[in-house]
Amino acid sequence: MTTVQYLLDEKGHDVWSIRPDDSVFDAIQMMAEKDVGALVVIQNGKPVGIFTERDYARDVILKGKSSPRTRVREIMATPIIYARPEQTVEECMAVMTETRVRHLPVMQGERLVGMISMGDLVKSIIADQKFTIEQLVHYISG
């Protein structure tokens, strides 16, 4: 079974973050520049929330708020639902499905070590299934 650690080793450990007092406009701008759908909100060196495109759509746009005047802390999701490096892709998929989130920061103890998305998990599951199918075809034809 594929672990979160393996996923991070393959895709990288980069995590983009924002501060709680930064504007939502700054957060959206960073997400566009980095081509990501979520940012971890960091205060005093520790993750305190997560900000996603979904938060923006539901809590800023639909409520008629202004992106430059709204602070990230006003709409970030808390508490953080996170994954650990030793967890499997299947475990994380279950957590994401149950909690209806699309991004999981990865924590090793108190340290933020990466971020995984639903897309990362789906890509991994498809690769595993493709490998299994190839092995079965090889076994049957060989």
Side-chain angles (χ1 to χ4, degrees):
M1 296 194 141
T2 304
T3 64
V4 170
Q5 182 65 55
Y6 180 82
L7 282 183
L8 292 177
D9 290 344
E10 290 291 307
K11 75 171 244 172
H13 292 260
D14 292 340
V15 179
W16 305 109
S17 64
I18 195 96
R19 295 179 310 259
D21 291 323
D22 289 339
S23 73
V24 167
F25 181 85
D26 291 337
I28 292 295
Q29 190 171 36
M30 180 185 288
M31 290 165 67
E33 287 170 7
K34 305 300 182 186
D35 194 29
V36 296
L39 301 172
V40 177
V41 184
I42 303 286
Q43 185 171 29
N44 300 323
K46 296 197 185 267
V48 294
I50 188 164
F51 176 82
T52 67
E53 293 168 328
R54 180 186 273 179
D55 298 323
Y56 175 71
R58 292 181 179 181
D59 294 331
V60 176
I61 297 293
L62 287 178
K63 293 183 179 175
K65 294 180 180 179
S66 164
S67 298
R69 288 194 302 270
T70 304
R71 301 293 128 206
V72 169
R73 77 169 55 258
E74 296 174 46
I75 63 168
M76 68 184 186
T78 60
I80 297 177
I81 298 166
Y82 64 89
R84 296 180 318 279
E86 66 273 10
Q87 283 183 283
T88 66
V89 165
E90 291 79 9
E91 288 172 325
C92 291
M93 183 68 81
V95 167
M96 286 178 153
T97 302
E98 184 177 309
T99 59
R100 306 189 84 203
V101 298
R102 296 178 183 162
H103 300 87
L104 290 176
V106 181
M107 301 291 293
Q108 190 162 34
E110 296 287 315
R111 197 168 57 103
L112 180 64
V113 296
M115 174 87 90
I116 57 172
S117 69
M118 180 67 78
D120 296 328
L121 300 181
V122 170
K123 185 176 173 182
S124 173
I125 289 168
I126 289 170
D128 287 348
Q129 289 175 346
K130 183 178 177 184
F131 177 76
T132 300
I133 290 168
E134 289 170 357
Q135 293 300 309
L136 290 171
V137 168
H138 179 69
Y139 175 76
I140 291 169
S141 62

